[in-house]
Amino acid sequence: MTLRTKVKEALSQGRPGSTILVKGWVRTIRNSKEVTFISLNDGSCLSGIQVVVEPDLADYHEITGIGTGSALAVTGVLQESPAAGQALELKASAIEVVGGADQDYPMQKKRHTFEYLRTIAHLRLRSNTFGAVFRVRSALAQEVHRFFAERGFLYVHTPIITSNDCEGAGELFRVTTLDLAHPPLENGVVDFSGDFFGRATGLTVSGQLEGELFAQAFSDIYTFGPTFRAENSNTARHAAEFWMIEPEMAFADLSDDADLAEAFLKRLCRFALDNCEEDMRFFNAQIDKGLIERIEGVAEASFARMDYGEAIERLKKAPVSFQFPVEWGLDLQSEHERYLTEQVVGGPVFIMNYPKEIKAFYMRQNDDGKTVAAMDLLVPKVGEIIGGSQREERLELLEQRMLETGIEPESLSWYLDTRRWGSTPHAGFGLGFERLIMYLTGMENIRDVIPFPRTPRHAEF
């Protein structure tokens, strides 16, 4: 019995004259009197293999009627191809139709818009663009784990269901078993004491706080899992469900945090260029013409570091008009971030030490009393791609900051315990995995880099 060969292996390692079995889906079929050409793709690579079918093949006339999208098993002999752009083709000796497809198959040979393809997310995976996106996504996810494993980081599965709102923004999806038609009320407010967990719970917005607990026992840890935001936003950069990579390091400060973030991003850029070459060339040609040059620039760059105060001064002196105001104490908008990385620095830059009023309660307060040890990594074209900070390890200052921001310290007593017993300076950052995929592929909508996007009023499949 002939063992199946993946198309990628057939094209890269196959020998002319060898008999192989390939299985995949028909991308295109061209019929003529003398011969039929079938492009077969099994998802293992961008390129399909050209199957040559001659009239002496059994059931030739049935084969010529195969529809686009059909699943086939093809046995044949590899031979050198006279056509440009392909070294090998497969001369068929037997073809089995594993699963047919009729004329209603929605992925016909024409250019479909991304908007249309989102409506058939279960089938868009068979297109060139989405095949490339999800191969790169898979490869990068595995490289994330290799990067941290090589550095001795512990991989932690933080909870998806949680009773804390890490960012304090109140954008949690509620998790409940209460009767929504008749919820129990106490003084007009829903009483969660009778709920499954006996308290209000939701889907997590971040694994950071739980990650900090592990860092205080294992030193270096990371999380890589799904996170959720019930934010009614329909922008190209927001989704209700997405994946976050969040390392946390004990005995580390903001400078150590930036060092890790720089090494991490450069490693992933280099990996994509070296190990996803065919797909990256496709993105460079079809999606974003300057992609490879830009990613190469980041992979080889030395990342600059700039204080928030200096960034504000640079922006105020900029010979351009911004839509959003520039003042000390205001958060930077995408237009400001892109100007700093593209025009001022000409490469990646960390903006560090932000005003405490615009940052989260857990960030370490600096000695000036005005700023916290926070950082954002800005890169050309997209602006912020990584956000992180040194965490406040001093119990009294952390409790004070929680009260200032309206968080009851008792509600996070477990978090404060790590500051009571064996507290250490520690730091970490968060990288949205989909944002990374968008950056490395040139895709401009987050809905197109996650298998089944969850956005307001959309939870199909």
Side-chain angles (χ1 to χ4, degrees):
M1 186 178 102
T2 305
L3 294 176
R4 177 190 177 191
T5 300
K6 292 288 184 75
V7 168
K8 182 178 182 179
E9 296 168 10
L11 295 176
S12 63
Q13 303 168 21
R15 299 187 315 277
S18 60
T19 298
I20 64 169
L21 166 66
V22 296
K23 299 180 180 182
W25 295 269
V26 175
R27 285 286 179 83
T28 61
I29 182 166
R30 289 186 292 119
N31 295 313
S32 69
K33 290 182 181 178
E34 306 291 330
V35 67
T36 291
F37 296 103
I38 298 173
S39 177
L40 200 71
N41 189 288
D42 64 1
S44 60
C45 61
L46 182 70
S47 304
I49 190 167
Q50 177 166 278
V51 177
V52 181
V53 190
E54 296 184 341
D56 58 357
L57 185 77
D59 301 322
Y60 177 75
H61 292 295
E62 287 78 3
I63 296 300
T64 60
I66 288 172
T68 302
S70 298
L72 305 181
V74 181
T75 302
V77 177
L78 276 175
Q79 59 187 24
E80 293 182 355
S81 175
Q86 55 191 22
L88 297 170
E89 62 186 18
L90 186 64
K91 183 179 178 182
S93 56
I95 295 179
E96 175 192 355
V97 179
V98 178
D102 59 28
Q103 295 304 307
D104 292 333
Y105 177 65
M107 299 285 292
Q108 297 299 328
K109 188 184 177 183
K110 64 177 182 178
R111 197 173 187 90
H112 298 292
T113 66
F114 290 155
E115 289 80 5
Y116 169 70
L117 290 173
R118 280 177 218 135
T119 68
I120 52 168
H122 55 305
L123 296 173
R124 67 175 180 170
L125 315 172
R126 300 188 196 179
S127 68
N128 283 340
T129 299
F130 290 97
V133 164
F134 294 117
R135 276 189 298 272
V136 169
R137 182 182 173 111
S138 173
L140 283 168
Q142 295 173 65
E143 185 65 6
V144 166
H145 290 297
R146 280 190 291 267
F147 174 88
F148 288 114
E150 288 170 10
R151 286 161 174 76
F153 278 63
L154 184 84
Y155 178 34
V156 182
H157 295 129
T158 51
I160 291 173
I161 299 175
T162 180
S163 58
N164 81 78
D165 176 3
C166 176
E167 302 295 334
E171 295 168 344
L172 274 77
F173 285 101
R174 189 62 61 204
V175 173
T176 182
T177 58
L178 295 177
D179 180 356
L180 298 183
H182 305 95
L185 301 177
E186 185 173 316
N187 299 323
V189 177
V190 175
D191 177 13
F192 286 99
S193 64
D195 205 353
F196 186 91
F197 294 107
R199 61 174 64 190
T201 55
L203 298 178
T204 185
V205 300
S206 169
Q208 178 201 314
L209 300 189
E210 294 89 349
E212 286 187 53
L213 307 185
F214 268 75
Q216 296 304 310
F218 296 93
S219 296
D220 297 329
I221 68 95
Y222 74 104
T223 76
F224 184 3
T227 50
F228 308 85
R229 299 279 169 88
E231 181 180 3
N232 190 15
S233 175
N234 285 287
T235 76
R237 289 168 61 84
H238 289 89
E241 176 184 290
F242 53 98
W243 285 65
M244 284 287 289
I245 303 157
E246 297 175 295
E248 198 74 33
M249 299 177 291
F251 309 104
D253 61 16
L254 189 63
S255 180
D256 299 320
D257 204 23
D259 289 344
L260 181 71
E262 178 173 346
F264 185 48
L265 184 59
K266 288 164 79 167
R267 165 76 169 264
L268 295 177
C269 288
R270 175 50 56 201
F271 176 84
L273 293 169
D274 293 347
N275 294 273
C276 307
E277 290 181 77
E278 185 185 31
D279 291 324
M280 292 298 286
R281 286 197 301 270
F282 170 82
F283 291 126
N284 192 70
Q286 301 294 331
I287 304 298
D288 183 350
K289 292 288 190 273
L291 177 71
I292 288 179
E293 181 181 0
R294 190 172 62 253
I295 302 303
E296 188 79 50
V298 171
E300 299 300 321
S302 177
F303 292 15
R305 300 188 185 188
M306 182 187 301
D307 231 43
Y308 168 87
E310 180 185 348
I312 292 298
E313 292 306 312
R314 295 288 193 103
L315 291 168
K316 283 185 173 181
K317 295 174 182 175
V320 297
S321 297
F322 294 114
Q323 179 184 352
F324 293 94
V326 176
E327 289 294 340
W328 200 99
L330 298 180
D331 211 352
L332 299 179
Q333 302 296 320
S334 290
E335 59 176 344
H336 307 142
E337 295 170 343
R338 289 193 59 180
Y339 181 83
L340 289 168
T341 182
E342 295 170 11
Q343 305 301 321
V344 176
V345 175
V349 56
F350 287 101
I351 306 299
M352 310 177 82
N353 301 311
Y354 281 77
K356 67 179 183 179
E357 283 76 14
I358 59 173
K359 290 296 182 180
F361 75 93
Y362 51 74
M363 297 187 179
R364 192 182 201 275
Q365 298 179 57
N366 290 327
D367 293 340
D368 60 13
K370 299 189 303 179
T371 62
V372 290
M375 67 172 197
D376 286 336
L377 174 57
L378 315 181
V379 291
K381 192 179 181 189
V382 301
E384 181 200 344
I385 194 167
I386 287 176
S389 71
Q390 184 175 341
R391 319 309 190 186
E392 183 56 82
E393 85 280 11
R394 297 163 294 184
L395 178 61
E396 297 79 9
L397 291 175
L398 181 57
E399 288 179 322
Q400 174 189 330
R401 188 75 184 120
M402 291 172 76
L403 291 171
E404 289 174 1
T405 55
I407 298 172
E408 176 53 51
E410 185 57 34
S411 69
L412 289 175
S413 59
W414 50 270
Y415 184 68
L416 294 175
D417 279 351
T418 61
R419 274 66 172 178
R420 288 191 177 92
W421 302 307
S423 183
T424 71
H426 59 289
F429 64 78
L431 170 61
F433 191 47
E434 285 73 25
R435 296 272 180 95
L436 172 72
I437 304 301
M438 290 168 67
Y439 185 65
L440 293 179
T441 62
M443 298 294 285
E444 295 190 340
N445 197 311
I446 194 170
R447 296 167 177 84
D448 298 327
V449 296
I450 194 165
F452 300 102
R454 299 291 183 245
T455 55
R457 307 194 72 79
H458 289 285
E460 293 84 359
F461 313 107

